């Protein structure tokens, strides 16, 4: 009897274990973001297509600013001293970064490819840390946001995005030294991004309820930043350049007339509404399990990032890009436990939408590159510059000297004060070689930028007079 009773107990225990396993499998179906391999593969496919897009356009001219940064990095490698011989008013660490990642000015494509891979790794690293509470859709959506039209390159606002993510995750993992190095690089590339790093510190403090690691992080990152910039200051001071004056004061001078507080691009509001709608879908399923400290930290981070975008000035979309780091972390942690059906519908729709967007964007860039190349080939041969009706091209592939306005004499003249409200037209005054104007209707060649600027002003005045009638 005792033997039979023991066997019965074991069989009953075994049946309970099997029952628990069945319950776990049923629970797994309710958490598809963690257990649905198909959705994971779709998200990875969408992410890789975005990265492939960035690699595909790695040698295309996309953004004016990044072309200028590369020219300075290239000129530095060729013996020109930034701020003295060739000029733009960005922090020196940005040009150091461009120089290192482009093989000391040898390849702009190399810089973009490395940056695309770094961004993918940073997003995957962040998702892996939060995988118990963060939907895998976080990765392709963030990649798509950071690769939108005009942002597929390596503007300064995109350069430091991966390092904000690294600083956040490293600090949560207790790797305060690595977090401090990442934070110092972020602020070194863009001074006002210190507010984003402050948001990171506040979020970690609220999540971990400990101030000592955060204080250590702040002290070490500030010390690394000051040490690196002290070395850079001494380097440039040896060439007679006051880096503090040429960066901080020049930035204040340059952007003084360009501020338009609370001017927020419509694209930002559209994306914000989409994120709110996703949260609304989750709310309809019932009250979610909200981590109050995590949520509060991310909201504070988003507010600080918004303030940073306002300090930067203007209303360009790429200034608002860093705000989506905390907002997307919040949104995709909020919807991570949606039901199977809704997760799959939303997930597959998002992945397909991201892939179609990447393909259409790649086609648009290709068509534009073909058009620009054919129109600019003659301009390159004639050693001229090209104006397409909206902006003046500094065409890197022409392998000519950069515009004169990149030299400090222009920024130190009274003419510099007129640049802020000029929309770029005043830059034309400093072009000493011929300018080809092709607005899609007529093609004209002017002997220099000054003559073209005078013609352009007359054309604008005539159009204004006609519209007034």
């Amino acid at each position: 009897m005792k033997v039979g009773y023991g066997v019965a107990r074991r069989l009953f225990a075994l049946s309970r274990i099997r029952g628990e396993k069945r319950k776990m499998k049923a629970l797994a179906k309710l958490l598809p973001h963690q257990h649905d391999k198909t959705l994971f593969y779709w998200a990875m496919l969408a992410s890789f297509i975005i990265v492939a897009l960035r690699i595909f356009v790695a040698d295309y001219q996309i953004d004016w600013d990044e072309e200028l940064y590369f020219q300075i990095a290239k000129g530095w490698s060729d013996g020109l001293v930034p701020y003295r011989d060739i000029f733009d008013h960005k922090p020196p660490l940005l040009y150091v970064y461009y120089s290192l990642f482009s093989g000391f000015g040898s390849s702009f494509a190399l810089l973009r490819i490395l940056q695309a891979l770094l961004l993918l790794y940073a997003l995957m690293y962040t998702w892996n840390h939060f995988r118990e509470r963060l939907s895998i859709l976080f990765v392709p959506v963030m990649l798509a946001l950071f690769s939108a039209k005009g942002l597929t390159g390596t503007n300064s606002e995109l350069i430091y995005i991966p390092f904000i993510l690294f600083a956040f995750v490293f600090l949560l993992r207790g790797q305060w030294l690595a977090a401090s190095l990442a934070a110092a690089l972020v602020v070194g590339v863009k001074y006002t991004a210190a507010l984003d790093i402050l948001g990171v510190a506040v979020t970690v403090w609220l999540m971990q309820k400990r101030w000592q690691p955060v204080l250590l992080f702040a002290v070490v990152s500030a010390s690394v930043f000051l040490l690196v910039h002290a070395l850079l200051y001494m380097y440039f001071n040896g060439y007679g350049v006051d880096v503090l004056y040429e960066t901080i004061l020049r930035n204040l001078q340059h952007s003084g007339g360009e501020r338009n507080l609370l001017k927020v691009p419509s694209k930002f509001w559209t994306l914000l509404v989409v994120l709110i709608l996703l949260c609304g879908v989750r709310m309809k399923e019932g009250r979610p399990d909200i981590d109050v400290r995590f949520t509060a930290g991310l909201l504070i981070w988003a507010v600080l990032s918004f303030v940073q975008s306002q300090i930067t000035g203007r209303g360009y979309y790429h200034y608002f890009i860093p705000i989506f780091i905390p907002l997307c972390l919040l949104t995709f942690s909020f919807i991570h436990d949606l039901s199977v059906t809704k997760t799959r519908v939303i997930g597959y729709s998002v992945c397909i939408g991201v892939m179609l967007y990447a393909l259409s964007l790649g086609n648009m860039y290709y068509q534009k590159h073909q058009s620009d190349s054919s129109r600019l080939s003659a301009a390159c041969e004639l050693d001229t510059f090209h104006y397409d009706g909206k902006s003046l091209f500094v065409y890197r592939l022409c392998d000519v000297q950069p515009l004169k306005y990149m030299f400090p004499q222009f920024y130190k003249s009274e003419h510099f004060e007129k640049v802020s409200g000029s929309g770029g037209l005043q830059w034309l005054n400093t072009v000493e070689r011929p300018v080809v104007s092709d607005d899609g209707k007529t093609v004209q060649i002017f002997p220099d930028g000054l003559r073209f600027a005078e013609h352009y002003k007359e054309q604008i005045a005539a159009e204004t007079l006609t519209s007034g009638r």
Side-chain angles (χ1 to χ4, degrees):
M1 288 291 291
K2 288 184 178 180
V3 174
Y5 179 74
V7 171
R9 285 187 62 184
R10 289 192 181 114
L11 290 173
F12 178 74
L14 185 60
S15 67
R16 287 189 63 184
I17 292 173
R18 288 174 177 171
E20 290 296 324
K21 287 183 177 180
R22 282 194 292 269
K23 288 181 181 179
M24 290 299 293
K25 288 182 179 180
L27 180 62
K29 294 180 181 179
L30 298 175
L31 298 175
H33 108 87
Q34 295 180 45
H35 303 281
D36 191 337
K37 291 184 178 180
T38 305
L39 180 59
F40 176 84
Y41 293 143
W42 273 84
M44 289 299 95
L45 178 61
S47 301
F48 290 141
I49 287 179
I50 287 285
V51 172
L53 162 69
R54 296 177 71 99
I55 294 174
F56 174 70
V57 302
D59 204 37
Y60 289 7
Q61 180 159 330
I62 296 174
D63 180 78
W64 166 278
D65 291 342
E66 59 173 343
E67 295 283 345
L68 196 153
Y69 306 151
F70 175 75
Q71 291 282 9
I72 293 176
K74 185 174 184 296
W76 196 0
S77 300
D78 292 339
L80 299 177
V81 178
Y83 308 108
R84 189 194 70 179
D85 304 321
I86 189 169
F87 189 85
D88 188 55
H89 49 90
K90 291 294 189 294
L93 197 60
L94 177 64
Y95 308 130
V96 173
Y97 188 95
Y98 260 73
S99 181
L100 292 176
F101 272 63
S102 64
F104 298 97
S106 61
S107 172
F108 195 27
L110 176 63
L111 167 71
R112 281 181 171 166
I113 292 171
L114 291 176
Q115 191 67 24
L117 296 175
L118 183 64
L119 180 58
L120 175 64
Y121 178 76
L123 290 169
M124 287 298 300
Y125 187 76
T126 304
W127 173 79
N128 187 61
H129 179 79
F130 290 105
R131 63 187 305 163
E132 296 301 321
R133 67 161 77 182
L134 191 63
S135 168
I136 186 59
L137 296 176
F138 169 79
V139 179
V141 169
M142 290 288 278
L143 272 172
L145 286 174
F146 298 148
S147 305
K149 181 181 177 181
L151 301 179
T152 321
T154 50
N155 205 313
S156 58
E157 281 72 26
L158 299 170
I159 283 287
Y160 64 78
I161 292 285
F163 298 97
I164 292 180
L165 292 167
F166 286 139
F168 182 43
V169 178
F170 286 154
L171 190 55
L172 285 172
R173 289 176 177 267
Q175 300 169 331
W176 55 267
L177 180 58
S180 300
L181 293 174
L185 192 148
V186 169
V187 182
V189 169
K190 186 174 183 180
Y191 296 146
T192 55
L195 288 172
D196 294 278
I197 296 301
L198 178 59
V200 167
V202 170
T203 304
V204 173
W205 171 62
L206 287 173
M207 290 177 65
Q208 297 186 338
K209 306 178 185 178
R210 293 187 302 159
W211 59 267
Q212 293 91 339
V214 174
L215 179 61
L216 184 62
F217 163 72
V219 171
V220 174
S221 57
S223 300
V224 172
F225 170 82
L226 292 174
L227 175 61
V228 170
H229 279 73
L231 294 174
L232 288 170
Y233 181 85
M234 288 188 290
Y235 169 83
F236 286 108
N237 191 56
Y239 290 98
V241 176
D242 184 346
V243 168
L244 296 179
Y245 177 79
E246 299 294 359
T247 56
I248 297 176
L249 295 182
R250 292 288 180 199
N251 267 294
L252 292 174
Q253 181 185 7
H254 180 62
S255 60
E258 298 178 346
R259 307 216 176 279
N260 195 344
L261 293 180
L262 300 181
K263 181 183 178 182
V264 182
S266 58
K267 190 183 295 185
F268 172 82
W269 291 120
T270 302
L271 293 171
L272 185 61
V273 169
V274 171
L275 296 181
I276 292 173
L277 288 175
L278 285 174
C279 293
V281 171
R282 174 60 186 85
M283 289 293 290
K284 288 191 69 175
E285 288 196 347
R287 185 176 179 180
D289 184 16
I290 298 176
D291 185 333
V292 177
R293 288 179 170 271
F294 179 67
T295 302
L298 291 176
L299 289 175
I300 293 172
W301 179 356
V303 170
L304 289 170
S305 190
F306 181 82
V307 172
Q308 189 263 119
S309 71
Q310 294 299 298
I311 292 174
T312 303
R314 290 184 170 181
Y316 293 151
Y317 172 64
H318 60 271
Y319 291 153
F320 293 81
I321 276 291
I323 305 174
F324 286 106
I325 298 177
L327 290 182
C328 284
L329 281 169
L330 184 60
T331 301
F332 289 102
S333 64
F334 197 73
I335 69 169
H336 82 284
D337 58 351
L338 271 171
S339 63
V340 174
T341 303
K342 288 184 179 178
T343 297
R344 287 177 176 171
V345 169
I346 293 174
Y348 297 154
S349 300
V350 167
C351 292
I352 293 172
V354 166
M355 288 187 282
L356 292 176
Y357 177 72
L359 293 173
S360 64
L361 199 58
N363 180 64
M364 184 275 293
Y365 278 128
Y366 177 75
Q367 297 296 334
K368 185 177 184 299
H369 180 71
Q370 292 295 103
S371 174
D372 289 344
S373 298
S374 61
R375 288 190 298 170
L376 288 170
S377 58
C380 291
E381 293 174 7
L382 296 171
D383 195 21
T384 62
F385 282 103
H386 178 269
Y387 188 79
D388 69 349
K390 292 183 179 179
S391 58
L392 189 72
F393 279 80
V394 177
Y395 201 54
R396 169 173 33 91
L397 301 182
C398 289
D399 195 29
V400 296
Q401 286 295 317
L403 287 174
K404 182 182 175 183
Y405 94 87
M406 294 170 64
F407 291 81
Q409 293 90 327
F410 171 52
Y411 278 83
K412 291 178 180 177
S413 69
E414 61 179 3
H415 183 68
F416 172 72
E417 299 175 2
K418 302 176 183 179
V419 173
S420 296
S422 70
L425 179 60
Q426 296 291 349
W427 291 339
L428 289 166
N429 292 343
T430 65
V431 179
E432 295 179 329
R433 56 177 67 91
V435 175
V436 177
S437 173
D438 180 3
D439 59 6
K441 298 177 182 178
T442 58
V443 178
Q444 295 175 279
I445 300 180
F446 298 87
D448 54 40
L450 181 60
R451 302 290 177 84
F452 171 74
E454 291 173 352
H455 166 79
Y456 190 81
K457 288 178 181 178
E458 292 174 1
Q459 182 181 356
I460 295 296
E463 291 176 357
T464 305
L465 183 62
T466 304
S467 62
R469 294 175 181 175

